[in-house]
Amino acid sequence: MSKRLLPLISALVAIGVSQAAETPRLQALEQAIEVSSASIRVPDRAPSSFIVRSCETCPALTLQLTQATRFLLGKTAATQTGFNLALQQADPDPTLGIFYDSKTSEVTRLVAFGVGNKPATSTKSRRGK
């Protein structure tokens, strides 16, 4: 019985090895930094660049804003002007998520966490209606 299974096992191993060789490697397309909005100044227009550090002892990164950069207040899309205005008016200073292309240093999106999220007006369930 084992002599008949040997060709089958060999074929399965060969298929597994060939598929493993063809599997693409995972690559990080985007990097992210989380900082307080008080620690950086987001430029007023694009294209432009700004410097950011993720901690006091971390190396500084120069990142590029482009026309393709998206601005989000929480989950809500905003213009660059609206985004900057919301940051200036926010109390306390919101946390920013800065997502950028690791190869080009171009910022793909800026997210202000906790800004633009409206609190629920009622805690009652809508299912009962």
Side-chain angles (χ1 to χ4, degrees), residues 41-51 62-69 71 80 84 104-107 110:
R41 172 145 174 8
V42 178
D44 294 332
R45 64 186 184 287
S48 57
S49 62
F50 63 102
I51 297 172
T62 301
L63 300 176
Q64 310 296 320
L65 287 182
T66 67
Q67 297 295 330
T69 302
F71 297 89
Q80 187 171 1
N84 287 340
T104 64
S105 297
E106 292 180 354
V107 177
L110 273 164

Side-chain angles (χ1 to χ4, degrees), residues 7-29:
L8 177 61
I9 292 171
S10 297
L12 291 174
V13 168
I15 291 170
V17 169
S18 68
Q19 285 182 349
E22 294 174 10
T23 304
R25 290 184 165 198
L26 294 177
Q27 294 181 16
L29 301 176

Side-chain angles (χ1 to χ4, degrees), residues 43-128:
D44 294 332
R45 64 186 184 287
S48 57
S49 62
F50 63 102
I51 297 172
V52 64
R53 289 178 190 258
S54 56
C55 69
E56 287 184 22
T57 59
C58 296
L61 289 172
T62 301
L63 300 176
Q64 310 296 320
L65 287 182
T66 67
Q67 297 295 330
T69 302
R70 296 182 334 194
F71 297 89
L72 298 165
L73 299 170
K75 294 180 181 179
T76 306
T79 64
Q80 187 171 1
T81 303
F83 183 86
N84 287 340
L85 184 61
L87 290 184
Q88 292 170 1
Q89 295 175 349
D91 186 33
D93 295 322
T95 300
L96 296 180
I98 304 171
F99 299 85
Y100 64 96
D101 184 308
S102 57
K103 291 181 182 175
T104 64
S105 297
E106 292 180 354
V107 177
T108 56
R109 65 188 186 275
L110 273 164
V111 182
F113 299 109
V115 177
N117 299 333
K118 295 180 182 175
T121 56
S122 173
T123 57
K124 293 182 182 179
S125 171
R126 293 184 181 185
R127 293 182 189 171

